[in-house]
Amino acid sequence: MKTIKIAAVICDSFSNIHKIFATVRGYGAFQGQWEFHLSMDCFWCEVISGQLTLKEAKEASRLTRDMLDSVPWLPADLTLMEKIRAAMNAV
């Protein structure tokens, strides 16, 4: 199993989180499901400049709090949704 030691939950702004960046798996058994990473420690990250480039994902989107339940997340990522939702609601 591939293990990622550092992963990111990319948001639009640390001080006012309205959107998070997530991708759609483009390969394998979980193809078509939304995800962050396989095994991870998550850290909030903000893009200051430049554009995000997809290397393996099929698709990506910036999701608002209201959109979090509108995509089919991988089972491992479902455990993060309440923490992400709470952080996005804290503003």
Side-chain angles (χ1 to χ4, degrees):
M1 172 193 259
K2 180 178 177 184
T3 301
I4 298 172
K5 292 295 182 183
I6 299 175
V9 176
I10 301 171
C11 61
D12 52 350
S13 167
F14 288 137
S15 61
N16 198 7
I17 302 171
H18 287 283
K19 293 182 180 179
I20 59 165
F21 184 81
T23 62
V24 176
R25 172 89 51 107
Y27 59 91
F30 295 107
Q31 183 174 352
Q33 288 186 290
W34 289 75
E35 66 178 333
F36 297 110
H37 301 82
L38 300 175
S39 175
M40 65 196 137
D41 295 322
C42 287
F43 299 90
W44 285 102
C45 300
E46 179 180 347
V47 176
I48 302 300
S49 65
Q51 297 293 320
L52 299 173
T53 303
L54 302 180
K55 299 290 186 180
E56 294 184 11
K58 173 182 167 185
E59 174 183 351
S61 184
R62 294 187 182 272
L63 304 173
T64 64
R65 185 177 190 274
D66 293 337
M67 296 168 66
L68 292 178
D69 294 327
S70 69
V71 299
W73 293 100
L74 288 174
D77 291 322
L78 286 173
T79 61
L80 296 171
M81 287 303 106
E82 286 310 312
K83 291 180 182 179
I84 289 171
R85 189 175 284 106
M88 293 176 84
N89 194 36
V91 293

